[in-house]
Amino acid sequence: MNKPSPSIKDPISVEDYAKVKALLGRTPRGLAAINVRTKTSAPAVIQVESIVNKKPFPTLFWLVDKQLNYSIDKLEAGGLIAELQMSIDSSDVLQAALKLDHLAHIALREELMLPAHKAALNSLGFANVFKHRGIGGIENFTRIRCLHTYYAAHLVVSNTVGGLLDEYWREREIYVDHLA
């Protein structure tokens, strides 16, 4: 299982900030860390603060790798979310695993949240927002809303949907081998 990068305390270099900005096509908001990189050291997954522009931002990990984003875009457009959702809906084991993934993600977000951000969320009346929102801010822990969010989180800490996506690619001999 992957572990979250402790780099949340490390400052983002000017070079990395520029790379993330180019990958996003906009100025990054709430950039906290780069958790996963490609073999060429380009950012692949970034960590985002839990409060951005004085509002809760429940997506902890954001996929910025162009190659992975494009691959996942094609899979979503081809109906893979519905296919995977049918598998989850028909399996108590997958549903239970998915719920545990979300609960673990909630705990991880809480652990990584800066004390100043916890205080800000509390003072703005958003203290309870994250207590029931898992990966990507999802409230229904047995639903897939976006493969990108699940896969970004999976590359930092393994999760069920990310594992299903890895399995899908493996079965088709598609390899995600450009990550460090």
Side-chain angles (χ1 to χ4, degrees), residues 61-156:
F61 301 112
W62 196 271
L63 189 63
V64 296
D65 181 80
K66 294 280 189 198
Q67 181 180 338
L68 276 174
N69 273 319
Y70 182 67
S71 296
I72 293 172
D73 285 346
K74 290 191 307 186
L75 295 175
E76 286 186 348
L80 187 59
I81 288 177
E83 184 180 323
L84 293 176
Q85 189 64 62
M86 286 189 331
S87 296
I88 290 166
D89 290 346
S90 65
S91 170
D92 291 341
V93 172
L94 286 176
Q95 289 178 35
L98 204 50
K99 287 176 185 175
L100 290 175
D101 293 340
H102 284 287
L103 293 173
H105 192 81
I106 289 168
L108 177 61
R109 185 191 308 116
E110 176 71 20
E111 178 185 327
L112 294 176
M113 196 181 307
L114 298 172
H117 291 169
K118 288 179 187 179
L121 287 168
N122 193 35
S123 71
L124 293 168
F126 296 123
N128 292 320
V129 168
F130 296 125
K131 293 186 188 220
H132 306 288
R133 292 181 180 263
I135 298 167
I138 295 169
E139 289 184 277
N140 183 339
F141 292 173
T142 61
R143 305 305 299 167
I144 301 173
R145 190 171 68 197
C146 171
L147 292 176
H148 299 81
T149 8
Y150 277 101
Y151 206 68
H154 174 70
L155 291 173
V156 180

